[in-house]
Amino acid sequence: MGKKNATPVKSTGDPFAEEEQKSNLKARWSAYWDSGKGKILVTVLGCLAVFAIVVTVVLKTWIKPPEIPIQPAPEKKPTQQQPVGPVQDPEDEEPAGPTDDELYPDDGYNGDMPTVSGNRKDGWYTFLLVGTDQDDGNTDTIMVVSYDTKNQDINIMSIPRDTMINEKWDIKKINSVYSRTGNSIDSLAKRVQKLIGFKPDFYVKVELEMFVKLVDLVDGVEFDVPQDMNYDDDWQDLHIHLKKGVQTLNGKDAMGLVRFRRYSEGDIKRVEVQQSFMKALIKECLSIKHWGKIKAYIDLAMENVETDLDSGSVVWFAANVLGLNGVSALKMEDVETCTLPGDYWDSAWSRDTHQDQSYVTIYPKQVVELVNESFNPYEQKVNTSMLDAMSILKNGDIASSTGSVKDTQHNAVMAVRRGEAYYDDEGNLVYGQPPAKPKQDELGNWYIEGEDGAIVYTDEQGNPLTIDPTLPPEDLEGGETVQLPSNGEGQSGGVTPNPEQDPGTTTDPGTTEPDPVQPDVPQDPPPASEEPGQDEPALPPEEEWVDTSVMPDGI
């Protein structure tokens, strides 16, 4: 009988089998190496390892945060230095009369705008986002964006297109800077700096055509249109027809939405609608269902976006937004929008269009508060002295918070319109009332009317005369007389005696000098008649008179 419940004995196997397998593997690898195939495999694996290391290093050096550009310090202008040579720009010459600096005294501004500098907040980056219109080259969309990459906060501030800036030209709206300065983004960024106190680190310029393509790329954006929109402009080939309410807008309709301006609330409502649609578009683009379109996003951006960011920095920002850099992904509730604080109902006269132009003039204190809270990347605070805030006075003049207005013509034109100044015949501006032009009366005499209505006789140039030409000549002071008009026969018509003159003197009609007084002589006997006839003998000359009282008898 066999044993029950016997425990099977586990075989330990042949202890020399493992050694035999190792020996066989070594023999096979030796044979594989000797055949040359092993050398090729090792070479390939080595190259792949080196390539992997290189790619890792390149990505680390390529995909990285951008370097912050160093902002140059403002150049110091020499004091008390007179210009040498002719004036280069005639627009810089001040008009005659009071200058703008005299009208608006200097408040301490010496020509060098102060600016923020020094330490920066960790992980903060700022951008100037610009949308250009291909029709006129103006930048109707201007936004300042700050991105806190550590806390995943994005703030977007819209700068209204009609914001007034301190410029020489007539219509001083910020949306015209780009086209007027030869499509210079840097010039636009410097003007923005004077409005917010710092210059954005980088810029992103987007052609509006990309906006249409991006909306179509995500198959439209759902949006609540605030009102019925109907507008047709054949010159711009712009036709907007939208109904109020929630709807999915394609690219063309979305473009009409953001370009529509006829709101009862003015341009402030247009900016608000743009901001709301921008948030809706960003939300749609970041939706998981569109992640497969990342390459299409990149291709679209390469065709329509101009920026001073390198491609590695763009990839780094994209990775940070998606939460791939060790931080959580960006959420839409962390994207805040606002508008530059200011008066949206201001206006000023335009000498080019001969009508008022609408403007937005900023509120410096509110701007500083908003910038320091959400946009300033520096630890140093922005203050109002760093801003060039324009204002429009009640009399139509314009002024700058710096105390210096670049447009030297506007206030002069307004002074002329108010009757406080005039242009002379040579085109020079003269402050005060213009001189009255002389007129001629029926006798050909030139005259002007004084402020009290009195007639003042002048010469042909309007210079007042010292003698009234309509009255007979009168004696001059000092006993002098003037010659009367001729009687037509070449003889003088007589003289006018001076009642204050010594009765013993006479005045020669041909001279104004009196004759010397004659010495005392015996008085002449009275004539027989006060009016002797022409046939009466003339009396002897005075030197022939004889004193009869001493004559001998019989004579």
Side-chain angles (χ1 to χ4, degrees):
M1 295 179 60
K3 294 182 180 180
K4 296 181 180 180
N5 301 326
T7 302
V9 179
K10 184 177 180 181
S11 174
T12 59
D14 186 354
F16 298 101
E18 185 176 352
E19 292 293 335
E20 184 178 355
Q21 291 178 358
K22 292 181 179 180
S23 178
N24 292 335
L25 180 61
K26 183 177 180 181
R28 291 178 182 177
W29 172 251
S30 179
Y32 188 74
W33 179 266
D34 291 340
S35 68
K37 295 180 179 180
K39 296 178 181 180
I40 296 175
L41 177 61
V42 171
T43 301
V44 171
L45 292 176
C47 290
L48 289 176
V50 172
F51 180 75
I53 295 172
V54 171
V55 169
T56 302
V57 172
V58 169
L59 289 177
K60 286 291 185 180
T61 57
W62 178 57
I63 304 177
K64 63 179 182 179
E67 294 183 3
I68 303 298
I70 299 176
Q71 302 294 343
E75 297 181 1
K76 296 296 182 181
K77 297 181 180 179
T79 57
Q80 304 299 329
Q81 180 176 353
Q82 298 297 327
V84 179
V87 178
Q88 297 297 325
D89 189 352
E91 292 184 6
D92 291 335
E93 297 179 2
E94 294 291 340
T99 64
D100 291 314
D101 288 333
E102 292 171 342
L103 293 172
Y104 311 105
D106 198 335
D107 60 356
Y109 170 71
N110 61 0
D112 298 324
M113 292 285 290
T115 183
V116 287
S117 60
N119 298 331
R120 291 177 59 101
K121 300 174 184 176
D122 187 26
W124 276 62
Y125 300 91
T126 58
F127 310 87
L128 176 63
L129 178 60
V130 176
T132 57
D133 191 339
Q134 294 179 344
D135 292 333
D136 55 15
N138 287 340
T139 52
D140 285 352
T141 300
I142 303 174
M143 297 181 178
V144 175
V145 181
S146 68
Y147 182 20
D148 179 359
T149 60
K150 299 295 183 182
N151 299 311
Q152 289 290 51
D153 287 329
I154 290 182
N155 289 280
I156 304 173
M157 175 170 58
S158 296
I159 298 179
R161 60 192 295 273
D162 293 342
T163 302
M164 177 178 266
I165 53 177
N166 195 357
E167 293 295 343
K168 295 179 182 179
W169 54 76
D170 177 44
I171 301 178
K172 290 167 277 295
K173 297 183 178 183
I174 194 170
N175 72 323
S176 64
V177 171
Y178 179 72
S179 59
R180 278 185 169 269
T181 57
N183 296 345
S184 172
I185 282 290
D186 187 64
S187 296
L188 178 58
K190 289 178 179 178
R191 267 61 167 198
V192 170
Q193 177 180 359
K194 294 182 179 181
L195 294 176
I196 64 175
F198 70 90
K199 185 179 178 182
D201 302 322
F202 308 100
Y203 77 87
V204 179
K205 182 174 75 71
V206 181
E207 298 292 344
L208 291 183
E209 184 63 26
M210 175 189 172
F211 178 79
V212 176
K213 295 179 179 179
L214 182 58
V215 173
D216 289 336
L217 182 60
V218 295
D219 302 322
V221 176
E222 186 176 77
F223 190 75
D224 187 2
V225 179
Q227 67 177 55
D228 288 346
M229 299 181 180
N230 292 286
Y231 177 77
D232 290 285
D233 187 342
D234 294 333
W235 186 76
Q236 297 187 68
D237 193 22
L238 178 62
H239 303 279
I240 305 172
H241 298 284
L242 296 174
K243 293 294 184 180
K244 178 181 178 180
V246 178
Q247 54 197 286
T248 299
L249 302 177
N250 59 25
K252 181 180 178 181
D253 291 339
M255 176 63 77
L257 174 79
V258 299
R259 296 188 68 178
F260 187 77
R261 298 176 183 172
R262 297 192 172 185
Y263 297 100
S264 59
E265 301 91 339
D267 202 50
I268 184 67
K269 182 64 176 180
R270 175 174 177 260
V271 172
E272 178 186 326
V273 172
Q274 286 182 344
Q275 292 173 349
S276 298
F277 186 82
M278 179 72 70
K279 293 180 70 172
L281 177 58
I282 294 174
K283 181 179 179 180
E284 190 66 31
C285 291
L286 294 179
S287 175
I288 296 179
K289 65 182 180 180
H290 296 303
W291 279 24
K293 300 176 181 178
I294 291 180
K295 184 180 183 302
Y297 292 159
I298 296 175
D299 292 341
L300 186 61
M302 293 294 291
E303 296 173 1
N304 298 276
V305 174
E306 176 186 325
T307 181
D308 53 356
L309 285 166
D310 58 59
S311 55
S313 298
V314 173
V315 174
W316 185 87
F317 279 121
N320 206 78
V321 168
L322 297 175
L324 304 178
N325 289 342
V327 295
S328 59
L330 178 70
K331 299 178 181 178
M332 283 311 302
E333 52 264 31
D334 297 326
V335 179
E336 298 292 338
T337 59
C338 61
T339 305
L340 188 70
D343 182 354
Y344 286 78
W345 303 100
D346 239 336
S347 63
W349 175 260
S350 166
R351 57 182 176 271
D352 289 344
T353 64
H354 300 288
Q355 61 184 4
D356 283 345
Q357 288 288 327
S358 60
Y359 284 105
V360 174
T361 51
I362 67 172
Y363 295 147
K365 292 183 179 180
Q366 295 184 25
V367 169
V368 165
E369 182 179 353
L370 174 63
V371 168
N372 286 328
E373 179 181 354
S374 304
F375 294 92
N376 183 11
Y378 294 89
E379 293 181 356
Q380 179 189 358
K381 298 292 186 181
V382 171
N383 57 61
T384 55
S385 68
M386 299 176 183
L387 310 184
D388 190 346
M390 297 295 291
S391 57
I392 303 173
L393 308 184
K394 292 182 178 180
N395 64 357
D397 283 356
I398 59 176
S400 166
S401 61
T402 66
S404 178
V405 176
K406 291 184 178 181
D407 183 359
T408 59
Q409 300 183 47
H410 179 88
N411 291 349
V413 171
M414 296 310 298
V416 173
R417 285 174 54 82
R418 294 192 300 267
E420 299 171 1
Y422 66 94
Y423 291 99
D424 62 16
D425 294 337
E426 297 180 355
N428 299 315
L429 179 72
V430 180
Y431 281 82
Q433 296 297 323
K437 293 184 178 180
K439 305 175 183 179
Q440 277 187 298
D441 60 15
E442 56 186 5
L443 299 178
N445 297 313
W446 294 95
Y447 72 95
I448 59 174
E449 295 183 6
E451 295 182 357
D452 57 354
I455 299 297
V456 178
Y457 286 94
T458 68
D459 59 16
E460 188 174 354
Q461 286 72 37
N463 301 313
L465 299 178
T466 58
I467 300 176
D468 189 338
T470 62
L471 300 177
E474 296 181 356
D475 294 329
L476 303 178
E477 293 182 0
E480 297 180 351
T481 61
V482 295
Q483 186 176 358
L484 294 175
S486 172
N487 60 9
E489 299 179 359
Q491 298 178 353
S492 173
V495 296
T496 302
N498 188 337
E500 298 180 359
Q501 185 176 343
D502 191 322
T505 63
T506 60
T507 302
D508 183 20
T511 178
T512 58
E513 295 293 334
D515 291 336
V517 179
Q518 300 293 336
D520 292 336
V521 295
Q523 295 294 323
D524 182 29
S529 173
E530 293 185 3
E531 297 182 359
Q534 295 182 358
D535 56 348
E536 296 180 356
L539 294 176
E542 293 179 347
E543 59 268 27
E544 296 181 4
W545 290 355
V546 181
D547 188 352
T548 56
S549 63
V550 297
M551 293 293 290
D553 293 339
I555 302 289

